[in-house]
Amino acid sequence: MQMALVIDPGKCTGCKQCELACSYVKEGEFNPAKSRIRVFDFHQDARFVPYTCTQCDDAWCQKACPVDAITTNEWGVKEVHDDLCVGCKVCTIACPFGTINFNASTGKVMKCDECGGDPACVKACPTEAIVYMDVEQAGFDKMRAWAAKTDAAAGTATAH
Amino acid sequence: MNITLKLFASLGTFLPPGAARNAIELDVKNGATIGDVLTQHCVPREICHLILVNGIFAPPAIADSKQLIEGDTLAVWPPVAGG
Amino acid sequence: MHHVILGAGPAGVIAADNLRKHDANANITIIGDEDEPPYSRMAIPYLLAGQIGEEGTYLRQDKGHYKNHGIDVKRVRAGAVDPKNKSITLEDGSDVAYDRLLLATGASAIRPPVEGLDLPGVHNCWTMADARAILERADKGDDVVLMGAGFIGSIILEALVKRGVKLVVVEMEDRMVPRMMDETAGAMLKRWCEDKGVRVLTGTQIKGIAESRDGLDVALSSGKSLPARLVVVAAGVASNIGFLKGSGIDTDAGVKVDGFLRTSAPDVYAAGDVAQARDMSTGEFSVLAIQPVAADHGRIAALNMAGHETPHKGSLNMNVLATIGLVTSSFGAWEGVKGGTSARMCDDNAYRYLRLEFDGDRLAGAQAVGLTDHIGIARGLIQTKLRLGRWKDILMTSPERLAEAYVATSQGIAPV
Amino acid sequence: MGWTGQVMRVNLTEGTCTPEALNMEWAGEYLGQRGLASKYLCEEMDPRIDPLSPDNMMIFATGPLTGTCASTGGRFSVITKGALTGAIACSNSGGYWGAELKFAGWDMIILEGKASSPVYLCIIDDKVELLDASDIWGKSVWDTDAWIKTRHQDPQMHISAIGIAGENGVLYAGIVNDLHRAAGRSGVGAVMGSKNLKAIAVRGTGGVKVDDFLAFMTATTAAKKVLAGNAVTGEGLPTYGTQVLMNIINESGALPTRNNRDVQFEDVHDISAEAMAAPSGKDGKPNLQTNQACFSCTIACGRISKVNEEHYTVQNKPEYWHASGGLEYEAAWALGAAVGVKDLDALTYANFICNEQGIDPISFGSTLAAAMEMYEDGVITDKETGGLALEFGSAQALTTAVELTGKAEGFGKELGMGSKRLCDKYGRPELSMTVKGQEFPAYDPRGIQGMGLGYATANRGGCHLRSYTVASEILGIPEKTDPLVTDGKPGLVKAFQDATAAVDSSGLCIFTTFAWTMEDIAPQIDADLPGDWSVDRLLEVGERIWNLERQFNLQAGFTAKDDTLPKRLLNDAAKTGPAKGLVAGLDKMLPEYYELRGWTKEGVPTSETLSRLAL
């Protein structure tokens, strides 16, 4: 069973508990600037959108990495290996979703790795705007549709 | 006898047709208690948190013994707060 | 089926992996001319900076990767290709027959016609061998002259600064990274470098290099000269197509390919720095010698070679660069498109600059200085040609809201 | 620990920004935010100075929990001598700004002096500089926010700014951060304007650490469960916001109406939470669009609203068609019942203008109510108002007046003085519904007796947030008391005041206390900071803060005579509702309160009290 983060912006209140939980787990401190998930605040449209990596099948970041520092684990999650990452940032421009980012303090890139199957953001979300569920379940298709659209535009339909 | 029933916040959905501004005038049997009125309108008692009769607090515990009189206004809220 | 890949860079290795993925039984051979395991040139600056060892540059970190995947890696230079007989002659005299061939021979550093470039202590910075040579002459306090402040030069610049050398950069054009960024960004980058103690001479040519008592003497077009223990030449690269002369395979600046990365010869494909493929911004066929394009090409070529017809609709030119900590990037038609509109924001004090180029309400190009968060979204917007609608108007005055525009558009949030 | 340990001291006169270490000894005695900054103020500034002079200091202060994952841990306060009151002012705000300041590496920003020309303070991590604000002087908070983000190319900056009200010296101008969260009260925005300081923009990319992460995560997770499980914080507040009070307080006969002439508003329903959630307008969508949380808050009581596009206030102004901060209870009261206006769209628009131009809606509404009463009495005429008919119930008067007030144009200039000065000017001081010069809000003390004592003794002037006994007297939190009696209220008020002072100093939101007791709060602070932080210690800190603030006010010239209420509340009985026939029984409560506080009959802390609190 492949699990995925499924986000429902309609439930998000913009509290940023997900960013705090993520940065605590990943950086050992509360630091939204280093969170792997970010809540976009569309104040004028009364909308808050948590945004993070969708773990695309054939990941742009992974393909672009010159030193094999991004691998796919058994759950399909793309992981950055800090010991191999040289900080060239090519993945950060290659990812068309902008969900892998450079961390200037470590000189490496960072992205969501779903916390090894127990995502901290999900546990921290007070409104179930972020849930972790089986990819086969409804709702996930919608998320992937966007990724597929991006792939198709580039003429590189993903091989499943 | 006639009383006014006001149900606020999420309880508003329990008001019968004809209610306006979260209030409705009702003809209830003489001696009806707060509990009688609420039960009659299927208002879940466990979420009746703040009950005011003519603006004066009525503890939920006395809802079934407190009788209303002609002209009373019964206003009820679920658990809410502000400030 | 025997797939032969000429070139052991990223395009070649990614192609090999994809061929294996899609054709479990094929024979796959990679032929590379350098005496190293397949490695990434992108990683060389980090090797120079001492961040990684040589093994950190290897394209596949698993030691048994090629063997485990049944990929034969040969270290020898190809001499000639004979498409009629589907055969390659190697420089060791042997021949290799192929069913499908991928040309992924990459590019080589240009040596401009300047006297003295053959002297000891003058090196390109392109191969692992170059890197080793540079390491020998670039210690703390050494005088080093860097010729060229293009993309590659600017990446090496950071590594040299980290080594503690006394660095002077000489660029013949009027600004740094002239083919990646505009005057504003180039000037900002120069000022940044000078703030960090690096001399940058733009609009200056190296006229010649001569040996002196202490090392080298670099003569400049200004009439002055610079002492150097090491001169690093980063004057650009050119596709490696010389060996194709007489093969009948069409070449121009690189190997000409069609929308499926096929060359003019049957069963011969090209990918990466050697391929002159479609640039999605211009619609024209040109060489885009960058890592992500090599990766895209490698994958698409492999799919086609394996019989899964996959079009290549075009690659996006893009670059990212860190120069002594200042991150710059550019995407697509960063100089703008005909009839398009442009939004620019510049904060000289903070070393931040963002320029967006639109074609109607679609993003066509972008460049950024000092901005890294969610920057890949620029690629996403350009590549998907997403119509920004009202968000385009917002971006015209607030280009920094690019990521918001993308997320909102993808979520169907239309501003009032 | 939850502190970065760094304070930035900005001298606007000299144009210098000098970092210094946080005084940890004081932090141990005053916790943070309200308490700690008040300590700095009292130590460094003569309380007698003119609040609008360069001698006034202003401190933007976070609490030790600000920037952590403790629920609601995102708050900050602005501490200064209030422009409106001349008393110590502490205005507390949510949003995201406070946490961002911590992430930039600063616990507090201390501002001194006055810039010679408009500036804004730009804080990007450890880079702090004063920059020219001449391009944004005269702009609204909203335009300033956008301008700064664009200027620095960073949409993730958070900006705290004054609008034109603060520039124009409106004495109840507030400081608005994140577009619609505000340090609203006591005229802190006027102080900021007097210093030629337009805004403080912050971007922080650093982290906040706590003393004991394991204990902290355990304590905060448990406390969040309490909030989620409590029907008020888990459901009532997020769904209806604070505005749900409108009908409750009206039913209870304590809704100040038309300048406190009445205690019930006949059109209350039209301006209530229920009305905000009901379909309206041509699109059939309600005024309320969604709820919003402040940083780290798991309650999310904030209202995001829209004005109906066809409403007269905005029909030709598409720039107001978007969503923004909607009505909270006090604002809805001030812009509604206080002035007798029932047009929800007009209220929402007026609230937008208050946010956009940095106006405290409570003081504005109350001042307008007093002006309306004087207009009705003929003391103020069309001559003074420039033809604007200041009639109770007039939405047009409300929306025009709020625009004029921000701009300080026409009669708006007079309204900007606040109710006390306005009523004094027109010879009707008894019509000013103020304490120590500050307009008190949406609870009539005749119907909620404890609030009368709370208003009278609040250290920043008339204010509901220093001891929100409404929680007990009306809502039954933590336990129900009778709102119509004075018995027991002095003790209740003191307990609320002390606990609130501690909560206001922690970085948390006072709304958590609808569900949390100090037993829930103490473990979170204890894990956050070094040393032992028990409930008792927190309450002692709260009492210390209260007395420190009192000392400031006494030195500033206030006396027991100022611990009073408008005569209307003391002498004129409520006309309707449960409180019919009652006046505010302040005289029955005040002496007992002084005694409980350990103060003399003159309201001065005894030396015994001071030494007990180590003051």
Side-chain angles (χ1 to χ4, degrees):
Chain A
M1 182 163 67
Q2 194 184 329
M3 303 287 283
L5 290 170
V6 178
I7 292 170
D8 178 357
K11 291 180 176 169
C12 178
T13 63
C15 74
K16 302 188 188 249
Q17 280 285 340
C18 54
E19 296 183 5
L20 292 166
C22 179
S23 58
Y24 168 59
V25 166
K26 294 296 170 198
E27 304 285 329
E29 60 183 23
F30 301 116
N31 187 350
K34 295 204 182 116
S35 168
R36 278 67 165 156
I37 187 166
R38 174 176 162 198
V39 180
F40 281 80
D41 178 350
F42 297 101
H43 160 260
Q44 297 203 332
D45 309 289
R47 206 80 170 149
F48 310 97
V49 184
Y51 189 69
T52 190
C53 175
T54 55
Q55 315 291 348
C56 11
D57 270 359
D58 208 348
W60 304 85
C61 61
Q62 187 173 20
K63 286 185 289 182
C65 178
V67 293
D68 210 13
I70 302 173
T71 58
T72 307
N73 73 14
E74 56 188 296
W75 302 287
V77 172
K78 311 300 177 290
E79 296 176 317
V80 178
H81 297 273
D82 278 357
D83 53 335
L84 298 176
C85 175
V86 294
C88 74
K89 297 169 275 295
V90 171
C91 55
T92 70
I93 60 166
C95 169
F97 309 101
T99 51
I100 183 162
N101 283 305
F102 182 59
N103 180 346
S105 56
T106 59
K108 315 278 181 188
V109 294
M110 52 187 184
K111 70 180 288 298
C112 169
D113 65 359
E114 297 182 0
C115 298
D118 189 17
C121 55
V122 171
K123 284 183 285 186
C125 179
T127 60
E128 295 182 341
I130 314 167
V131 294
Y132 196 51
M133 61 194 286
D134 182 355
V135 296
E136 301 308 322
Q137 288 183 30
F140 187 73
D141 289 347
K142 215 170 106 189
M143 220 167 88
R144 277 286 164 89
W146 190 252
K149 232 164 124 181
T150 305
D151 282 346
T156 57
T158 47
H160 290 274
Chain B
M1 64 178 179
N2 287 314
I3 64 150
T4 302
L5 174 65
K6 297 182 177 180
L7 297 175
F8 291 105
S10 57
L11 298 182
T13 53
F14 296 100
L15 281 164
R21 303 177 155 213
N22 288 70
I24 189 162
E25 271 190 43
L26 295 173
D27 186 8
V28 299
K29 68 176 188 330
N30 281 349
T33 63
I34 295 171
D36 293 339
V37 176
L38 295 176
T39 305
Q40 195 190 331
H41 292 89
C42 308
V43 185
R45 295 289 290 280
E46 65 277 10
I47 55 169
C48 292
H49 180 75
L50 177 62
I51 301 173
L52 302 181
V53 177
N54 302 324
I56 295 177
F57 180 70
I62 66 159
D64 289 318
S65 53
K66 165 94 179 169
Q67 290 185 327
L68 298 169
I69 58 168
E70 170 73 26
D72 270 356
T73 296
L74 170 64
V76 188
W77 285 263
V80 289
Chain C
M1 177 71 73
H2 187 200
H3 295 292
V4 176
I5 298 163
L6 284 183
V13 169
I14 288 166
D17 287 351
N18 276 281
L19 282 167
R20 177 54 70 230
K21 196 166 152 189
H22 296 289
D23 190 348
N25 301 315
N27 292 321
I28 301 170
T29 305
I30 297 178
I31 301 173
D33 68 345
E34 288 186 56
D35 197 16
E36 337 277 349
Y39 69 94
S40 170
R41 302 199 197 292
M42 285 291 299
I44 285 181
Y46 307 96
L47 171 69
L48 291 181
Q51 275 175 259
I52 51 171
E54 286 193 6
E55 66 289 345
T57 69
Y58 295 166
L59 280 166
R60 291 293 171 262
Q61 290 295 327
D62 170 12
K63 276 205 176 81
H65 177 83
Y66 303 99
K67 203 173 159 221
N68 296 341
H69 289 82
I71 298 166
D72 190 17
V73 181
K74 285 189 194 307
R75 293 177 191 174
V76 57
R77 176 178 281 262
V81 176
D82 178 358
K84 280 195 192 100
N85 295 307
K86 291 195 161 187
S87 160
I88 306 153
T89 307
L90 304 177
E91 281 200 340
D92 63 5
S94 62
D95 288 337
V96 176
Y98 66 81
D99 295 305
R100 305 246 156 89
L101 172 64
L102 178 64
L103 302 174
T105 49
S108 291
I110 292 172
R111 308 248 322 159
V114 172
E115 203 175 318
L117 286 194
D118 298 329
L119 289 171
V122 181
H123 297 280
N124 289 122
C125 185
W126 190 246
T127 64
M128 190 65 82
D130 291 338
R132 291 178 193 128
I134 288 169
L135 283 172
E136 276 180 27
R137 284 175 175 255
D139 288 328
K140 199 169 163 60
D142 284 344
D143 285 310
V144 176
V145 172
L146 174 62
M147 177 180 182
F151 174 67
I152 296 165
S154 296
I155 284 193
I156 302 165
L157 190 158
E158 172 159 285
L160 292 170
V161 168
K162 280 188 179 162
R163 294 194 68 77
V165 303
K166 282 193 279 180
L167 184 65
V168 182
V169 182
V170 183
E171 165 61 47
M172 64 183 206
E173 295 211 33
D174 63 351
R175 63 176 192 269
M176 293 180 73
V177 285
R179 274 165 297 279
M180 175 179 154
M181 307 200 82
D182 66 13
E183 295 80 359
T184 307
M188 196 178 268
L189 195 54
K190 178 178 172 180
R191 197 164 49 82
W192 171 267
C193 290
E194 289 177 337
D195 278 0
K196 303 278 170 189
V198 175
R199 276 180 76 193
V200 181
L201 309 172
T202 47
T204 307
Q205 268 179 291
I206 290 181
K207 292 306 233 186
I209 303 169
E211 279 185 296
S212 68
R213 217 174 51 187
D214 304 321
L216 298 164
D217 190 64
V218 181
L220 304 175
S221 54
S222 60
K224 293 181 179 156
S225 71
L226 299 166
R229 187 177 177 221
L230 169 71
V231 176
V232 178
V233 180
V237 297
S239 300
N240 289 324
I241 51 174
F243 72 105
L244 294 173
K245 209 171 237 175
S247 67
I249 296 171
D250 281 354
T251 61
D252 180 19
V255 177
K256 293 173 85 169
V257 295
D258 66 6
F260 294 85
L261 301 180
R262 294 178 296 219
T263 70
S264 62
D267 293 322
V268 181
Y269 299 77
D273 291 5
V274 78
Q276 188 171 338
R278 193 193 296 274
D279 176 334
M280 73 172 295
S281 293
T282 61
E284 290 172 8
F285 286 77
S286 52
V287 174
L288 294 178
I290 57 172
Q291 166 84 20
V293 170
D296 283 354
H297 282 180
R299 193 172 144 277
I300 292 169
L303 282 164
N304 284 311
M305 290 166 77
H308 301 285
E309 201 164 88
T310 307
H312 174 253
K313 288 187 183 169
S315 293
L316 185 66
N317 192 17
M318 55 188 179
N319 278 298
V320 63
L321 173 68
T323 313
I324 329 179
L326 183 63
V327 181
T328 49
S329 56
S330 74
F331 299 84
W334 56 267
E335 288 174 294
V337 295
K338 213 176 163 198
T341 46
S342 175
R344 303 177 200 207
M345 285 310 310
C346 183
D347 184 348
D348 272 319
N349 280 334
Y351 292 101
R352 284 167 89 91
Y353 177 52
L354 182 62
R355 171 172 166 182
L356 303 179
E357 291 293 337
F358 297 96
D359 184 359
D361 66 350
R362 298 175 164 105
L363 189 70
Q367 53 179 313
V369 178
L371 299 161
T372 59
D373 278 357
H374 310 292
I375 194 67
I377 274 171
R379 178 194 192 171
L381 279 170
I382 296 167
Q383 189 164 279
T384 55
K385 296 187 164 67
L386 193 68
R387 297 198 62 163
L388 288 159
R390 272 277 289 122
W391 275 100
K392 191 233 164 179
D393 304 332
I394 293 173
L395 292 176
M396 285 304 289
T397 51
S398 303
E400 77 283 358
R401 298 181 68 187
L402 187 68
E404 286 172 74
Y406 179 75
V407 173
T409 310
S410 67
Q411 296 282 339
I413 298 172
V416 173
Chain D
M1 63 170 176
W3 293 122
T4 69
Q6 288 288 305
V7 175
M8 176 53 73
R9 189 178 290 268
V10 179
N11 188 309
L12 293 158
T13 309
E14 306 291 331
T16 54
C17 302
T18 317
E20 65 185 47
L22 184 73
N23 188 321
M24 289 307 297
E25 192 189 324
W26 292 350
E29 292 164 359
Y30 293 90
L31 190 51
Q33 202 172 342
R34 172 176 162 190
L36 183 54
S38 295
K39 175 68 174 170
Y40 272 80
L41 202 73
C42 292
E43 290 287 335
E44 298 186 7
M45 194 178 93
D46 182 343
R48 291 166 301 184
I49 56 105
D50 173 357
L52 293 175
S53 74
D55 297 333
N56 200 359
M57 289 169 62
M58 125 172 271
I59 305 177
F60 286 69
T62 66
L65 289 170
T66 308
T68 72
C69 76
S71 186
T72 77
R75 300 194 72 89
F76 72 100
S77 293
V78 180
I79 292 89
T80 187
K81 180 167 173 169
L84 184 66
T85 56
I88 193 164
C90 169
S91 276
N92 187 307
S93 184
Y96 306 102
W97 190 92
E100 197 72 18
L101 184 64
K102 268 278 184 73
F103 298 135
W106 306 102
D107 296 323
M108 302 201 303
I109 304 294
I110 300 176
L111 298 145
E112 305 166 337
K114 175 186 177 175
S116 55
S117 62
V119 293
Y120 68 101
L121 185 67
C122 181
I123 302 171
I124 300 172
D125 290 324
D126 54 2
K127 196 172 138 205
V128 182
E129 50 189 348
L130 288 165
L131 299 173
D132 178 28
S134 47
D135 287 347
I136 36 176
W137 199 255
K139 280 194 194 295
S140 74
V141 169
W142 295 355
D143 290 343
T144 297
D145 194 280
W147 188 92
I148 292 177
K149 285 173 178 168
T150 300
R151 159 81 177 74
H152 295 282
Q153 297 169 50
D154 191 349
Q156 296 190 76
M157 274 189 142
H158 292 280
I159 290 130
S160 187
I162 54 169
I164 56 175
E167 295 177 17
N168 291 332
V170 172
L171 287 176
Y172 45 81
I175 302 169
V176 180
N177 59 286
D178 301 297
L179 302 171
H180 55 83
R181 309 318 303 175
R185 303 231 66 199
S186 310
V188 293
V191 174
M192 191 157 159
S194 77
K195 297 189 171 303
N196 268 332
L197 180 64
K198 180 66 181 176
I200 305 181
V202 189
R203 176 76 156 106
T205 62
V208 169
K209 290 190 159 93
V210 297
D211 191 53
D212 180 345
F213 264 111
L214 203 62
F216 189 76
M217 296 312 279
T218 306
T220 53
T221 304
K224 281 176 210 167
K225 282 205 179 103
V226 173
L227 291 180
N230 182 289
V232 170
T233 48
E235 208 180 318
L237 275 172
T239 311
Y240 292 96
T242 59
Q243 255 281 63
V244 78
L245 282 175
M246 189 61 78
N247 281 305
I248 299 178
I249 302 301
N250 190 62
E251 265 329 281
S252 303
L255 186 68
T257 302
R258 289 176 285 265
N259 205 34
N260 286 74
R261 278 202 314 218
D262 300 305
V263 294
Q264 289 180 310
F265 182 39
E266 61 283 2
D267 292 314
V268 65
H269 191 275
D270 290 352
I271 61 168
S272 66
E274 286 80 1
M276 282 171 72
S280 70
K282 65 168 179 184
D283 58 0
K285 285 190 178 151
N287 172 284
L288 176 68
Q289 304 282 303
T290 188
N291 62 324
Q292 180 179 6
C294 292
F295 181 89
S296 200
C297 171
T298 57
I299 303 173
C301 73
R303 305 291 90 185
I304 302 297
S305 285
K306 266 188 181 179
V307 181
N308 181 356
E309 290 171 18
E310 291 174 325
H311 191 258
Y312 78 88
T313 48
V314 301
Q315 58 183 354
N316 296 316
K317 295 189 236 173
E319 66 270 28
Y320 291 103
W321 290 357
H322 59 75
S324 191
L327 294 162
E328 308 294 337
Y329 169 60
E330 276 74 19
W333 159 80
L335 306 169
V339 290
V341 176
K342 63 170 182 176
D343 178 342
L344 186 64
D345 280 312
L347 266 61
T348 305
Y349 172 77
N351 194 55
F352 276 17
I353 299 298
C354 285
N355 287 331
E356 193 190 12
Q357 300 304 357
I359 299 169
D360 171 12
I362 297 176
S363 285
F364 165 76
S366 179
T367 303
L368 181 61
M372 283 175 164
E373 187 162 357
M374 289 190 282
Y375 184 84
E376 198 175 278
D377 289 356
V379 179
I380 293 172
T381 67
D382 284 344
K383 193 175 141 231
E384 283 83 14
T385 67
L388 181 63
L390 287 185
E391 284 160 352
F392 279 122
S394 165
Q396 188 72 56
L398 169 74
T399 55
T400 306
V402 75
E403 288 169 349
L404 290 176
T405 298
K407 292 181 199 155
E409 280 176 17
F411 193 68
K413 210 171 175 68
E414 309 236 309
L415 288 170
M417 297 190 293
S419 160
K420 182 174 187 298
R421 289 170 177 82
L422 185 75
C423 293
D424 283 351
K425 178 175 174 178
Y426 288 96
R428 301 292 299 276
E430 74 281 7
L431 294 184
S432 171
M433 296 301 126
T434 54
V435 173
K436 298 184 178 71
Q438 175 158 286
E439 298 75 9
F440 54 78
Y443 312 90
D444 195 302
R446 290 169 292 195
I448 309 173
Q449 291 287 333
M451 288 307 281
L453 180 60
Y455 290 160
T457 58
N459 285 332
R460 68 169 180 181
C463 162
H464 62 296
L465 283 169
R466 289 298 176 265
S467 67
Y468 193 66
T469 58
V470 175
S472 167
E473 295 178 277
I474 299 294
L475 304 168
I477 304 168
E479 56 189 29
K480 187 77 174 74
T481 53
D482 186 342
L484 303 177
V485 305
T486 55
D487 293 352
K489 297 298 163 63
L492 188 72
V493 167
K494 177 183 181 292
F496 268 83
Q497 286 174 340
D498 291 348
T500 301
V503 175
D504 284 350
S505 302
S506 68
L508 299 175
C509 174
I510 193 68
F511 283 5
T512 55
T513 58
F514 288 126
W516 287 349
T517 65
M518 295 307 276
E519 302 284 347
D520 297 300
I521 293 172
Q524 302 184 68
I525 296 174
D526 188 51
D528 180 30
L529 294 175
D532 291 324
W533 286 87
S534 62
V535 171
D536 287 347
R537 180 172 175 187
L538 286 173
L539 293 176
E540 186 191 287
V541 165
E543 190 178 3
R544 183 177 297 128
I545 294 166
W546 193 264
N547 281 276
L548 179 81
E549 291 171 339
R550 179 74 176 183
Q551 292 282 81
F552 181 99
N553 285 349
L554 292 172
Q555 286 163 28
F558 288 93
T559 68
K561 283 195 188 110
D562 299 298
D563 295 340
T564 189
L565 294 169
K567 288 196 181 72
R568 174 166 282 171
L569 304 181
L570 298 173
N571 301 334
D572 303 351
K575 290 179 236 167
T576 62
K580 188 173 177 181
L582 289 180
V583 296
L586 182 64
D587 54 329
K588 298 194 201 85
M589 299 182 280
L590 197 57
E592 185 187 341
Y593 171 83
Y594 283 169
E595 200 179 325
L596 282 172
R597 277 255 167 248
W599 294 354
T600 66
K601 288 193 175 68
E602 290 73 42
V604 178
T606 62
S607 54
E608 213 173 33
T609 299
L610 292 177
S611 75
R612 177 170 61 82
L613 295 168
L615 273 161

